[in-house]
Amino acid sequence: MDKKNIDWSNLGFGYIKTDKRYVSAYKNGAWDEGQLIEDDMITMSECACVLQYSQTIFEGLKAYTTQDGKIVVFRPDLNAERLANSARRMEMPVFPEDRFVDAVEQVVRANKAFVPPYGTGATLYLRPYMFGINPVIGVKPAEEFQFRIFATPVGPYFKGGAKPITIKVSDFDRAAPHGTGNIKAGLNYAMSLHAIVTAHKEGFDENMYLDAGSRTKVEETGGANFLFVTKDNKIVTPKSDSILPSITRRSLMVVAKEYLGLEVEEREVYFDEVKDFAECGLCGTAAVISPVGKIYDHGNEICFPSGMEEMGPVTKKLYDTLTGIQMGRIEAPKGWIKVID
Ligand code: PLP
Ligand code: COI
């Protein structure tokens, strides 16, 4: 299979149009059979529910080329399950989870020429999404929907790749208690746009959001969960009903325990404790594990002992093991890797 002529090693996290995308439409209470199409444009009513009331949800997962040349996808069943949970919360129909996984396979297969070669550091990012498309003017859910998946080859989410980043404690909230922080709804990201633009203008790479109720506990960033390492090498990750249940974070907890023999704790993390941790990282599909070197909090700085040059040693072990599993260098737990023939 000939690959596209792309400078794989220098890709950033951007959109590149690929050959095929998947679409299935929901009408009169049922999903149609779905198909791969070439057209990347979507035509809809000016009054479509997604445009007026943001009824849209999405997912993110990646396809990798392994060391032995196979193309694989990482835990797509968990993305299917999470999209179904997002749909229920947003009054949208569930796209059947087995059909989600099948559609992911179809999109990867149809865009094999865009799957970055092994060793380039790039991957094929898959973006499943669903939105309400019929005209809605009174506030209520749509009755017609589209489920789609497109693919785009990507490099690292943060410019420096594995270089530690600096984040700030945001003055804005991302998700309310009992709100939608625990699902992947577009509205959560719309909420964060002003905050991320503000952080970037001030020279920071990302925001740390605290819990909106008390502003004392660590939640997550705009696109990743937190992992902390204690001075005695325990992995700590925030537990909250208003953060996204990251598949990367859940996988890393297994990797830490089962592969590295580390103790793991998922619990409420008070911001006051953060200064005592030895390492900090952001984890997610796009972020993989991005090390945090410094946190700025209204004039005070927390500088982690791991510094601004390299990932901390435990973060590095987690990173190497997880990416080793994804790229086929390390045996994966059963069911984590789906091979695309
Ligand atoms: N938190 C938020 C807000 C996200 O957008 C993402 C990205 O999907 C994550 C966490 C990480 O989740 P995952 O590891 O499933 O990609
Ligand atoms: C992902 O990691 O897949 C996400 O959706 C995060 C987003 C900020 C790119």
Side-chain angles (χ1 to χ4, degrees):
M1 138 87 38
D2 281 347
K3 292 286 177 187
K4 299 283 175 179
N5 185 18
I6 291 173
D7 184 5
W8 307 105
S9 304
N10 288 311
L11 281 175
F13 196 87
Y15 173 75
I16 293 174
K17 183 181 153 190
T18 51
D19 290 341
K20 297 274 177 70
R21 63 273 305 120
Y22 178 89
V23 58
S24 176
Y26 182 91
K27 208 172 175 169
N28 301 324
W31 290 105
D32 71 10
E33 63 190 17
Q35 58 177 324
L36 288 173
I37 58 167
E38 279 177 17
D39 191 359
D40 59 320
M41 292 295 167
I42 301 174
T43 303
M44 66 180 79
S45 162
E46 61 191 354
C47 198
C49 193
V50 61
L51 297 180
Q52 302 308 325
Y53 300 126
S54 304
Q55 195 182 21
T56 181
I57 55 178
F58 70 102
E59 273 302 320
L61 67 164
K62 284 174 170 173
Y64 308 80
T65 305
T66 61
Q67 194 171 25
D68 58 359
K70 290 195 197 93
I71 294 176
V72 302
V73 181
F74 186 69
R75 309 190 79 179
D77 52 320
L78 296 190
N79 294 95
E81 184 186 45
R82 194 169 61 187
L83 189 81
N85 289 335
S86 298
R88 288 183 197 103
R89 176 66 173 80
M90 291 290 286
E91 291 296 334
M92 300 166 89
V94 166
F95 192 73
E97 294 179 34
D98 54 337
R99 285 195 58 194
F100 176 104
V101 175
D102 176 63
V104 164
E105 283 185 62
Q106 288 189 44
V107 172
V108 176
R109 217 174 274 128
N111 293 295
K112 268 190 178 168
F114 286 95
V115 183
Y118 176 76
T120 57
T123 52
L124 187 72
Y125 185 69
L126 301 160
R127 174 52 65 87
Y129 59 113
M130 189 198 290
F131 52 92
I133 196 164
N134 65 290
V136 165
I137 193 69
V139 178
K140 62 175 186 184
E143 286 164 354
E144 293 173 15
F145 297 85
Q146 283 193 8
F147 168 76
R148 286 176 170 254
I149 306 178
F150 68 78
T152 180
V154 295
Y157 191 67
F158 294 105
K159 263 198 228 97
K163 269 237 162 185
I165 58 170
T166 303
I167 64 175
K168 73 169 279 193
V169 177
S170 182
D171 293 322
F172 302 101
D173 294 324
R174 177 177 185 274
H178 316 294
T180 53
N182 62 339
I183 59 158
K184 214 160 161 55
L187 59 92
N188 293 331
Y189 299 80
M191 290 275 288
S192 74
L193 296 177
H194 180 60
I196 193 66
V197 169
T198 305
H200 285 164
K201 268 191 203 149
E202 293 171 357
F204 302 102
D205 298 294
E206 248 296 358
N207 282 300
M208 169 185 268
Y209 293 102
L210 301 181
D211 73 296
S214 73
R215 289 252 170 125
T216 58
K217 289 175 270 186
V218 177
E219 293 260 291
E220 61 178 332
T221 69
N225 283 179
F226 277 104
L227 274 186
F228 298 101
V229 182
T230 64
K231 287 184 177 136
D232 55 356
N233 288 351
K234 199 188 291 171
I235 310 296
V236 177
T237 187
K239 188 181 172 73
S240 160
D241 291 339
S242 45
I243 65 174
L244 193 76
S246 158
I247 294 163
T248 313
R249 187 250 302 159
R250 285 182 271 162
S251 304
L252 283 167
M253 299 307 263
V254 175
V255 164
K257 223 179 339 183
E258 311 287 329
Y259 286 66
L260 304 175
L262 300 171
E263 216 179 303
V264 301
E265 244 178 35
E266 186 184 352
R267 61 164 171 85
E268 290 187 330
V269 175
Y270 284 87
F271 181 69
D272 281 351
E273 308 173 52
V274 169
K275 61 180 184 336
D276 300 322
F277 290 124
E279 298 175 38
C280 171
L282 307 183
C283 61
T285 299
V288 193
I289 310 180
S290 302
V292 175
K294 200 190 282 184
I295 302 177
Y296 178 85
D297 171 36
H298 304 95
N300 297 318
E301 283 185 350
I302 297 173
C303 298
F304 293 100
S306 45
M308 293 305 294
E309 284 308 311
E310 285 184 20
M311 264 189 205
V314 177
T315 307
K316 176 93 170 83
K317 270 192 212 158
L318 287 168
Y319 179 92
D320 286 346
T321 313
L322 179 71
T323 53
I325 288 170
Q326 290 166 334
M327 309 274 178
R329 295 186 296 266
I330 296 174
E331 194 174 335
K334 201 166 171 290
W336 279 24
I337 299 292
K338 175 134 202 106
V339 178
I340 312 288
D341 318 306

